[in-house]
Amino acid sequence: DSHIQYERVGADVTMKCGSMDWDAAVTWTANGTDIDESHLNGSYLILKNVDLTQSGQYSCYEGSSWHLKYQTYLRVGIPPKEPVLMCRSNNYPKGFYCSWHLPTPTYIPNSFNISVIHGTKEMVCEKDAFPKNRCHIRYVHLFSTVKYKVTLTVTNALGKNSTSLTFDEFAIVKPDPPESVVAKPVPNNPRRLEVSWQNPSSWPDPESFPLKFFLRYRPLILDQWQHVELSDGTSHTITDAYAGKEYIIQVAAKDNDIGTWSDWSVAVHATPWTEEPKHLTTEAQITETTSTSTSSFMPPPTTKICDKGAVVGSGAVAVCWTAGLVLAAYGVLFI
Amino acid sequence: GDSWGIFTFLCAALCNLPALPALNCTEELGTSQSIQKTYDLTRYLEHQLRTLAGTYLNYLGPPFNEPDFNPPRLARAERVPSATVDLDLWRGLTDNARLAANYRAYSRLLCYLRALDGQAGTAELRHRLGHFCSSLQGLVLSIAGVMSSLGYPLPAGPPAGPPGTSVAPNDFLKKMDDFWLLKELQTWLWRSAKDFNRLKKKVPPAVVTLRLEARGF
């Protein structure tokens, strides 16, 4: 009959051929390959200072009859190191989740046990189907003064290890990054970029638990970021972009009052609107056909500046009015 | 011995004073602005408390000033009003109930803090506590102002405290009481930010439209 045997890396392993006497004549194989007699001590197989490559199936056959007397599966591994545990509430006030992993592999199967204690009460952390090393807890009470203590124990055939986290309800609040970040140029505004985004979908109640946002942007050619903090709204217009330069933009979110900032969102790229060269020749044609005077003043093309869609902010309105007045004045002069 | 009796009496006297509504200031504030101001006050107090608590816990000494200190809740600590509430219950609170809970809690917390002020060790600590108590008094009045502008009656003043529970039998338990007081205060300030966020969204529409008209757009 066969079974599994777990041994530590670097250990010396002695395998007995089942119930056979020490002085019986036997042959050992490792994964079907005969093992040299130098590794034998009588009918015992001696493996010194085992390493990971020596994992495999070991079989012992009686010398003459070649009957299989014993079989074992050797798994070489290491006992678990202290696991890494993280707990976070990205769906406040619904609850929180904890996830964990081992800093180095053990090469053999491990089992994890997680316990959550709130004051004197033990709470059940429901294991998630996916990802595997994760469980979640629903808050029963909100605004608790008592800390939560989460203990994770890792066990395998060669040993165990554990780690603990103790925290307040508020300390672990960290939303997911904002979603659907979009950055668009603003027509006729060479220094503007319009950025919009959405609350992370995992945040269950933005009405009662509003988020505030942090936007950062820089042209690709520079290393220095510019930052804007926004206490509400899910859009912002950048007004100091360098004309014609491609920008990289990211947004982060945080509960208005508690917890920490989310990771940065996926980066979006955008370049502010630039005037296209061919428009200059079109303007020259228009002024040649409409102007009858020899005045050196070339009135600015009204279609461009005072376009309905181009009126953004009071600055542009002032330009529109001024251009209109100037044209009206010239019109009067030439009547 | 006698000083405790005096403090309890003073506490009872202070806490039974009628709270003045915030409308004795010259500016007439819309309800939504009052709520915003109350919200801002809770944030300011929460910030102030961080420094105050740090200083006070250092004064109490270890283990109270250790970041991992996580003692079990003793029965006697229940007299300090707790912000902890069932999630669905908290969601379903009426505006009146929400405001009243805040008002009652801070009135009592203020009371206990003032008692603390009387026996605090260093002059710096007494000064900080005094300043904080003034700000906390401002919060209580601000909440009262919101309640009266919404037409809600103010809850009755806090009781003088059930007899026999006010004196801690020994120095360590007294320090535990102080620790839990500061903890509850901190939690209340976090909760209030959320309470007032909810209230901000539920201000009666009539008040909001009046404000827009006043801007002359």
Side-chain angles (χ1 to χ4, degrees), chain A residues 155-185:
Chain A
T155 311
N156 69 17
L158 301 174
K160 66 200 273 189
N161 211 325
S162 68
T163 188
S164 260
L165 275 182
T166 309
F167 51 83
D168 278 314
E169 178 187 310
F170 308 101
I172 57 165
V173 177
K174 177 179 169 177
D176 285 330
E179 292 170 9
S180 309
V181 184
V182 174
K184 291 190 297 208

Coordinates of all heavy atoms in Angstrom, one line a residue, chain A residues 155-185:
Chain A
T155 N -0.8 25.9 8.5 CA -0.3 24.7 9.0 C 0.0 23.8 7.8 O -0.7 23.7 6.8 CB -1.3 24.0 9.8 OG1 -1.8 24.9 10.8 CG2 -0.8 22.8 10.6
N156 N 1.2 23.1 7.9 CA 1.4 22.0 6.9 C 2.1 20.8 7.7 O 2.2 20.9 8.9 CB 2.2 22.5 5.7 CG 3.7 22.8 6.0 OD1 4.2 22.4 7.0 ND2 4.3 23.5 5.1
A157 N 2.4 19.8 6.9 CA 2.9 18.6 7.6 C 4.2 18.8 8.4 O 4.5 18.0 9.2 CB 3.0 17.5 6.6
L158 N 4.9 19.9 8.1 CA 6.2 20.1 8.7 C 6.2 21.2 9.8 O 7.2 21.4 10.4 CB 7.2 20.5 7.6 CG 7.4 19.4 6.5 CD1 8.3 19.9 5.4 CD2 7.9 18.1 7.1
G159 N 5.1 21.8 10.0 CA 5.1 22.8 11.0 C 3.9 23.8 10.8 O 3.0 23.7 10.0
K160 N 3.9 24.8 11.7 CA 2.9 25.9 11.6 C 3.4 27.2 11.9 O 4.5 27.3 12.5 CB 1.7 25.5 12.5 CG 1.9 25.6 14.0 CD 0.9 24.8 14.7 CE -0.3 25.6 15.0 NZ -1.3 25.0 15.9
N161 N 2.7 28.2 11.6 CA 3.1 29.6 11.9 C 1.9 30.5 11.9 O 0.8 30.1 11.3 CB 4.1 30.1 10.8 CG 5.1 31.1 11.4 OD1 4.8 31.9 12.3 ND2 6.3 31.0 10.9
S162 N 1.9 31.6 12.5 CA 0.7 32.4 12.5 C 1.1 33.9 12.6 O 2.3 34.3 12.9 CB -0.2 32.1 13.7 OG 0.4 32.4 14.9
T163 N 0.1 34.8 12.3 CA 0.3 36.2 12.4 C -1.0 36.8 12.8 O -2.1 36.2 12.6 CB 0.8 36.8 11.1 OG1 1.2 38.2 11.4 CG2 -0.2 36.8 10.0
S164 N -1.0 38.0 13.4 CA -2.2 38.7 13.9 C -2.2 40.1 13.5 O -1.2 40.8 13.4 CB -2.2 38.7 15.4 OG -3.0 37.6 15.9
L165 N -3.5 40.6 13.3 CA -3.7 42.0 13.1 C -4.7 42.5 14.0 O -5.7 41.9 14.2 CB -4.2 42.3 11.7 CG -3.2 42.4 10.5 CD1 -4.0 42.6 9.2 CD2 -2.2 43.5 10.7
T166 N -4.5 43.7 14.7 CA -5.5 44.3 15.5 C -5.8 45.7 15.0 O -4.8 46.4 14.7 CB -5.0 44.4 17.0 OG1 -4.5 43.1 17.4 CG2 -6.1 44.8 17.9
F167 N -7.0 46.0 14.8 CA -7.3 47.3 14.2 C -8.7 47.8 14.6 O -9.6 47.0 15.0 CB -7.3 47.2 12.7 CG -8.1 46.1 12.1 CD1 -9.4 46.2 11.9 CD2 -7.4 44.9 11.7 CE1 -10.2 45.2 11.3 CE2 -8.2 43.9 11.2 CZ -9.5 44.0 11.0
D168 N -8.9 49.1 14.5 CA -10.2 49.7 14.7 C -11.0 49.7 13.4 O -10.4 49.7 12.3 CB -10.0 51.2 15.0 CG -9.7 51.4 16.5 OD1 -10.4 50.8 17.3 OD2 -8.8 52.2 16.8
E169 N -12.3 49.7 13.5 CA -13.2 49.7 12.3 C -12.8 50.7 11.3 O -12.8 50.5 10.1 CB -14.6 49.9 12.9 CG -15.7 50.0 11.8 CD -17.0 50.5 12.5 OE1 -17.3 49.9 13.5 OE2 -17.6 51.4 12.0
F170 N -12.4 51.9 11.8 CA -12.2 53.0 10.9 C -10.8 53.0 10.2 O -10.6 53.5 9.1 CB -12.2 54.4 11.6 CG -13.5 54.5 12.4 CD1 -13.5 54.3 13.8 CD2 -14.7 54.8 11.8 CE1 -14.6 54.4 14.5 CE2 -15.8 55.0 12.5 CZ -15.8 54.7 13.9
A171 N -9.9 52.3 10.8 CA -8.5 52.4 10.3 C -8.3 51.6 9.0 O -7.4 51.9 8.3 CB -7.5 51.8 11.4
I172 N -9.1 50.6 8.7 CA -8.9 49.8 7.6 C -9.7 50.2 6.4 O -9.8 49.5 5.3 CB -9.1 48.3 7.8 CG1 -10.6 48.1 8.3 CG2 -8.1 47.8 8.8 CD1 -11.0 46.6 8.3
V173 N -10.4 51.3 6.5 CA -11.3 51.7 5.3 C -10.4 52.3 4.2 O -9.6 53.2 4.4 CB -12.3 52.8 5.8 CG1 -13.1 53.3 4.6 CG2 -13.2 52.3 6.9
K174 N -10.5 51.6 3.1 CA -9.7 52.1 1.9 C -10.5 51.7 0.7 O -10.6 50.5 0.4 CB -8.3 51.4 1.9 CG -7.5 51.7 0.6 CD -6.1 51.0 0.7 CE -5.4 51.2 -0.7 NZ -4.1 50.6 -0.7
P175 N -11.1 52.6 0.0 CA -11.9 52.3 -1.2 C -11.0 51.7 -2.3 O -9.8 51.8 -2.3 CB -12.5 53.6 -1.6 CG -12.2 54.6 -0.6 CD -11.0 54.1 0.2
D176 N -11.7 51.1 -3.3 CA -11.1 50.8 -4.6 C -10.9 52.0 -5.4 O -11.5 53.0 -5.1 CB -12.0 49.8 -5.3 CG -11.9 48.4 -4.7 OD1 -10.9 48.0 -4.1 OD2 -12.9 47.7 -4.8
P177 N -10.0 52.0 -6.3 CA -9.8 53.3 -7.1 C -11.0 53.6 -8.0 O -11.8 52.7 -8.2 CB -8.6 52.9 -8.1 CG -8.1 51.6 -7.7 CD -9.1 50.9 -6.8
P178 N -11.1 54.9 -8.3 CA -12.3 55.3 -9.2 C -12.2 54.6 -10.5 O -11.2 54.1 -11.0 CB -12.0 56.8 -9.4 CG -11.1 57.2 -8.3 CD -10.3 56.1 -8.0
E179 N -13.4 54.4 -11.1 CA -13.6 53.7 -12.3 C -13.9 54.6 -13.5 O -14.3 55.7 -13.3 CB -14.7 52.6 -12.1 CG -14.3 51.5 -11.1 CD -15.4 50.6 -10.8 OE1 -16.5 50.7 -11.4 OE2 -15.3 49.8 -9.9
S180 N -13.7 54.0 -14.7 CA -14.1 54.7 -15.9 C -13.5 56.1 -16.0 O -14.3 57.0 -16.3 CB -15.6 54.7 -16.0 OG -16.2 53.5 -15.8
V181 N -12.3 56.2 -15.7 CA -11.6 57.6 -15.8 C -11.5 57.9 -17.3 O -11.0 57.1 -18.1 CB -10.2 57.6 -15.2 CG1 -9.7 59.0 -15.2 CG2 -10.3 57.1 -13.7
V182 N -12.0 59.1 -17.7 CA -12.0 59.5 -19.1 C -11.4 60.9 -19.1 O -11.8 61.8 -18.3 CB -13.4 59.5 -19.7 CG1 -13.4 60.1 -21.1 CG2 -14.0 58.1 -19.7
A183 N -10.5 61.2 -20.0 CA -9.9 62.5 -20.2 C -10.1 62.9 -21.6 O -9.7 62.2 -22.5 CB -8.5 62.6 -19.8
K184 N -10.7 64.1 -21.8 CA -10.9 64.6 -23.2 C -10.4 66.0 -23.4 O -10.5 66.8 -22.5 CB -12.4 64.6 -23.5 CG -13.1 63.2 -23.5 CD -14.5 63.3 -24.1 CE -15.3 64.1 -23.2 NZ -16.7 63.7 -23.2
P185 N -9.9 66.3 -24.6 CA -9.6 67.7 -24.8 C -10.8 68.5 -24.9 O -11.9 68.0 -25.2 CB -8.9 67.6 -26.2 CG -9.3 66.3 -26.8 CD -9.7 65.4 -25.7

